């Protein structure tokens, strides 16, 4: 919230002024007033609440201070008689008059209640700082990002510093794709299973904040060598019935309606989110491949037009029941039903030494019906107001995808004839169980935590390929590629961590023990030897792997002053291969360019170090860090020739993930938030990184060294007539791996927003990728084991074209000046020196 940020600033400046009025310590005995401020309704600590001590003998003499992130205050003052007042914006103040403070006094825990009559009178004079610095993470509140209105969660992540989302929706953290996506701190069907496709279907308006966790504490799953992105969804805490309805439409054809509804009483909180979407996002791609060894064709170009029709419904329904004033149980059910069609027309030109040879048209239409269900249960018991807490979670998720793909490929020049006609029937089911318990015990400034998490997941992919026999005029099942692949991933973990504060130092030490069991089984009409020969590489069709590992974490913070701190973090992480990286059967999106998983792929392990620095001025917030990571058995996707050809003489190129020896990555990033003047705000970040990879595969050295960077800048302007204008710019520098060089890429997003209907509604217009420039341009070279150039590929890919969107959101019983604040009071850019929450 705008006023939230300025309240924090005003409180800090006011307390600074008050301290400036303190008399010299030598004049009178010094006493200390301590205590804690919390929300009377939710028991959440109130940061930057102001404690004022006004002398009764001389009312002109005042002193005071502000609460820290845990709501604690500690104020020194000369002994004497005072009127005491504890204030927090929009809350009824707490007062104690005529207090004789001859000795230090502990006021205990003070509960402040909302002043409902005052809420609508508060003037919105500023905007909440969009970054909060914690001991192990950065928290970004993206609710005020106009360019995400009408967008998806995946789009919104692309505007978070340190995060990039490529043209296919793959999410990276500091340039590393091995990032773990959590929803409300847990793996979730809402985020998808090993894929980010589900995030493209959820509205960005459902997000309250995004936590970028580059140095995760031991409480978190050790998965994700790059770190963790935790998406925290909105959960309204205002009493009564309230909510919002969001409508948007756009071009190319896109429409969406979402309703967020909440009914809260003193005994329960009932909440639901319901949404429907329909989209037709077009895309395109172009490939220019040149072959130099053992190929009937010397050059093949592919020009692809991609068209889609996606529609679906998301429903999240839950209730929190308050057993006592300190304990509650929450149950929720989530379901997603989608019907998607992806079509690709691939126009191919083929050349030989003598010149143009032939042209083909390949049409692929994939229809996918997807149903997802998730049920979760949470128990929370806050034993007291100091953070002594026990939580227990159970979650079950089920996903069922039915995919029917029809492929029709014909030669159109110089003759017209059928090349291939195929039908692929695929069904993928996924079951996942999650059990988790966490215990937190505060001990003064210290805090102890311990817990358990069990995650049990099974994926079954049933695949059938039918090919048309032109001689018989009938479809026949290809039993060489028809199969059933079952993949199981079970992870059991226990952890313990301890945090303490020593003066200006805060330390959080943790240790996590994880056991990972990965099992895979291929069911096929072929023998194991025939499978290896058919798929073109050696692997174990029935594997069972077991890994036991310790994952230590260390996070240290030094508070230079209340506006400046330094953090140092170390953690060990694991990157487990997902199902599609393991499944050895080739994709069918192209006869000549295929992707195959690798069942012999092992988990990668990484040690990461992070050194951060935060500095706040009156109008400027600076965050920065340098980092280093060393990863063993790092994943790398390589392209090789299979030695096989299609029926019409095209060399088949395979992309396969492998374990390389090591990958060292180091870099630095800096972010700034600058509130220049009342009507202008800048938000920018810059990330530079370099990586060095060593390793070989099949006698070929795939080691490489590369440097890249990315940067984003956002400017928000308040125009007359209460109109907000925001522009976001992003640039990804050139980058390369062992085989592929990618050109730099930039994009511009722009949005206008205006509040109407007495600030109960907002209408906005935005354009994503204003110059239609979000395209990946790459050049690949591949050599054989003799060091000879085998083929090159020059490509351009655009997953989605420029999008225009108009959105309308209506809020009821949600005053604009409290939106976004009630559910997230803990922090306003403050450091997490005294908080050890993971």
């Amino acid at each position: 919230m705008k006023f939230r940020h300025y309240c924090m600033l005003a409180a800090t400046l006011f307390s600074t002024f008050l301290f400036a009025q303190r008399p010299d310590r030598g004049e009178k005995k010094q006493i200390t007033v301590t205590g804690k401020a919390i929300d009377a309704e939710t028991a959440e600590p109130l940061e930057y609440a102001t404690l004022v001590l006004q002398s009764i003998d001389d009312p002109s003499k005042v002193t005071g201070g502000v609460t820290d992130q845990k709501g604690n205050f500690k104020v020194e003052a000369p002994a004497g008689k005072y009127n005491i007042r504890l204030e927090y914006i929009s809350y009824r103040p707490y007062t104690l008059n005529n207090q004789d403070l001859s000795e230090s006094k502990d006021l205990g825990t003070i509960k402040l209640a909302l002043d409902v009559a005052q809420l609508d009178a508060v003037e919105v004079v500023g905007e909440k700082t969009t970054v909060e610095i914690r001991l192990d993470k950065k928290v970004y509140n993206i609710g005020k990002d106009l360019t995400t209105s009408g967008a998806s969660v995946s789009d919104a992540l692309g505007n978070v510093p340190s995060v990039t989302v490529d043209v296919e929706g793959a999410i990276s953290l500091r340039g590393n794709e091995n990032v773990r996506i959590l929803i409300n701190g847990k793996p979730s069907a809402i985020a998808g299973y090993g894929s980010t496709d589900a995030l493209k279907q959820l509205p960005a308006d459902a997000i309250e904040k995004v936590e970028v966790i580059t140095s995760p504490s031991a409480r978190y799953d050790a998965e994700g060598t790059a770190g963790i992105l935790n998406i925290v969804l909105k959960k309204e805490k205002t009493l009564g019935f309230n909510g919002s309805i969001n409508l948007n439409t756009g071009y190319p054809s896109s429409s969406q309606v979402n309703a967020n509804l909440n009914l809260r009483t003193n005994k329960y909180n009932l909440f639901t989110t319901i949404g429907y979407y329909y989209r037709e996002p077009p895309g395109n791609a172009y490939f220019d491949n040149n072959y130099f060894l053992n190929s009937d064709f010397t050059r093949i170009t592919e020009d692809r037009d991609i068209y889609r029709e996606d529609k679906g419904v998301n429903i999240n329904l839950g209730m929190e029941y308050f057993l006592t004033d300190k304990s509650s149980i929450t149950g929720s059910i989530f379901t997603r039903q989608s019907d998607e069609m992806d079509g690709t027309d691939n126009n191919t030109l083929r050349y030989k030494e003598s010149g143009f040879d032939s042209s083909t048209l390949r049409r692929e239409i994939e229809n996918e019906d997807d149903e997802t269900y998730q049920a979760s249960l949470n128990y929370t018991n806050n034993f007291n107001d100091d953070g002594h807490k026990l939580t227990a979670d159970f979650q079950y998720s089920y996903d069922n995808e039915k995919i029917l793909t029809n492929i029709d490929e014909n030669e159109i020049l110089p003759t017209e004839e059928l090349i291939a006609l195929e039908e692929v029937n695929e069904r993928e089911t996924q079951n996942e169980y999650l059990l988790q318990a966490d215990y937190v015990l505060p001990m003064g400034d210290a805090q102890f935590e311990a817990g358990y998490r069990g995650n049990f997941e099974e994926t079954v992919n049933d695949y059938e390929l039918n090919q048309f026999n032109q001689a018989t005029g009938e479809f026949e099942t290809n039993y060489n590629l028809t199969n059933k692949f079952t993949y199981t991933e079970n992870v059991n973990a226990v952890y313990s961590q301890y945090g303490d504060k020593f003066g200006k130092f805060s330390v959080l030490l943790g240790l996590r023990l994880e056991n990972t069991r990965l099992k895979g089984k291929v069911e096929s009409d072929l023998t194991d030897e025939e499978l290896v020969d058919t798929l073109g590489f050696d692997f174990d069709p029935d594997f069972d792997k077991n890994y036991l590992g310790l994952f230590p974490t260390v996070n240290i913070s030094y508070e230079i002053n209340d506006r400046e701190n330094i953090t140092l973090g170390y953690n060990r992480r694991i990157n487990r291969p997902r199902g599609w990286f393991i499944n050895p059967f080739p994709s069918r999106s192209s006869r000549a360019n295929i992707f195959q998983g690798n069942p012999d792929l092992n988990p990668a392990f990484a040690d990461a170090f992070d050194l951060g620095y935060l500095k706040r001025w009156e109008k400027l917030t600076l965050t920065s860090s340098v980092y280093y990571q060393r990863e063993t058995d790092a994943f790398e996707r390589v392209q090789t020739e299979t030695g096989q050809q299609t029926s019409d003489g095209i060399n088949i190129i395979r992309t396969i993930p492998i374990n390389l020896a090591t990958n060292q990555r180091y870099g630095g990033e800096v972010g700034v938030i600058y509130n220049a003047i009342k009507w202008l705000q800048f938000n920018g970040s810059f990330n530079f990184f370099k990586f060095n990879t060593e390793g070989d595969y099949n006698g070929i050295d795939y080691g490489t060294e590369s440097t890249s960077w990315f940067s984003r800048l956002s400017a928000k302007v308040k125009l007359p007539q209460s109109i907000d204008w925001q522009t976001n710019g992003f640039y990804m520098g050139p980058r390369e791996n062992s085989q592929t060089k990618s050109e730099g890429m930039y994009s511009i997003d722009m949005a206008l927003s205006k509040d109407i209907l007495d600030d109960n509604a907002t209408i906005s217009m935005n354009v994503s990728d204003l110059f239609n420039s979000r395209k990946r341009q790459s050049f690949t070279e591949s050599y054989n084991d003799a060091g000879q150039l085998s083929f090159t590929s020059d490509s351009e890919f655009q997953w989605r074209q420029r999008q225009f969107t108009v959105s309308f959101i209506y809020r009821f019983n949600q005053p604009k000046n409290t939106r976004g604040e009630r559910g997230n009071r803990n922090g306003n850019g403050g450091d997490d020196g005294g908080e050890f929450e993971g």
Side-chain angles (χ1 to χ4, degrees), residues 134-140 161-163 172-175 179-180 211-217 220 224-230 553-555 567-573 607-612 624-629 669 687:
R134 306 289 180 87
L135 191 59
D136 59 347
K137 60 193 172 186
K138 297 183 180 72
V139 183
Y140 295 95
S162 303
V163 179
S172 298
L173 179 58
R174 292 174 168 175
V179 58
R180 179 70 155 164
E211 298 178 343
V212 179
I213 310 171
T214 53
S215 186
S217 70
Y220 289 102
T225 54
I228 295 172
L229 291 179
N230 183 31
T553 63
V554 178
N555 287 292
T567 57
L568 176 64
Y570 162 77
N571 64 94
R572 180 166 172 80
R573 312 288 296 163
D607 293 280
F609 299 84
D610 188 287
L611 178 64
S624 61
S625 64
V626 292
Y627 52 88
Y628 170 78
Q629 181 188 86
E669 62 182 347
N687 193 305

Side-chain angles (χ1 to χ4, degrees), residues 694-712:
E694 299 176 354
D696 61 80
Y697 177 70
N698 287 343
I700 301 176
D701 183 6
Y702 288 101
T704 187
E705 184 175 303
S706 178
T707 299
S708 188
W709 58 278
F710 61 88
S711 180
R712 55 171 48 87

